[in-house]
Amino acid sequence: DLSVAHTIDRAARLRGAVGTDPYMAPEQCNPRNHPDRVGPPTDVFGLGATLQHAVSGSRPFPRDTGARDAEDITVRFPQLVNEPEPIGKDVPAPLVELIRAMLAPRAADRPSAADVVVALEPIIATLPLKHGRRRRKGGHDAVA
């Protein structure tokens, strides 16, 4: 969520929720009461939530209309207490496993951004290409 981007030092001093609710990591939703600090693993969580939304068509932690104004923080941020929704059977298993790891509640249990890139490369290599493109050696695309 680039509209609320902060330096790592400034993000570590956050005392309230900052971000787009459905894509926020637990430590971002409730920084005062969460043991993990806001940092790079927070971005991995947000990317995982975005990937799940992109491949499934729905958010990993749905909530009711009006939940943003709820007094109960777990209603506003269901990711604090709920498991992510199932992704769908048409999504390759390695991608489902990666997204699940990215959405781990504890920052220490999430893969690093570099690990996400490494894990995505073989997944992307197996995806069908658009008509008129062919895969070159090394996994890069070329227009045919």
Side-chain angles (χ1 to χ4, degrees), residues 15-116:
R15 297 294 174 253
V18 176
T20 303
D21 290 3
Y23 304 93
M24 292 168 56
E27 66 271 16
Q28 192 176 10
C29 298
N30 192 4
R32 289 180 197 240
N33 297 324
H34 203 279
D36 295 318
R37 293 179 57 150
V38 171
T42 307
D43 294 331
V44 169
F45 185 98
L47 178 60
T50 301
L51 283 174
Q52 177 158 341
H53 196 164
V55 301
S56 72
S58 59
R59 295 175 178 157
F61 303 97
R63 65 184 187 181
D64 292 332
T65 303
R68 180 168 176 72
D69 300 320
E71 289 184 32
D72 182 345
I73 195 166
T74 63
V75 172
R76 179 176 175 188
F77 300 111
Q79 59 268 49
L80 290 171
V81 293
N82 294 344
E83 292 289 320
E85 291 289 305
I87 293 178
K89 60 184 177 198
D90 296 332
V91 179
L95 182 55
V96 171
E97 292 168 16
L98 177 61
I99 292 171
R100 285 291 166 260
M102 295 170 74
L103 295 174
R106 291 184 56 236
D109 294 337
R110 296 178 207 138
S112 70
D115 290 339
V116 170

Side-chain angles (χ1 to χ4, degrees), residues 107-136:
D109 294 337
R110 296 178 207 138
S112 70
D115 290 339
V116 170
V117 170
V118 169
L120 281 173
E121 283 193 57
I123 296 168
I124 292 169
T126 65
L127 297 176
L129 297 175
K130 289 183 177 181
H131 181 70
R133 294 191 170 271
R134 59 183 170 78
R135 184 139 351 250
R136 291 191 294 187

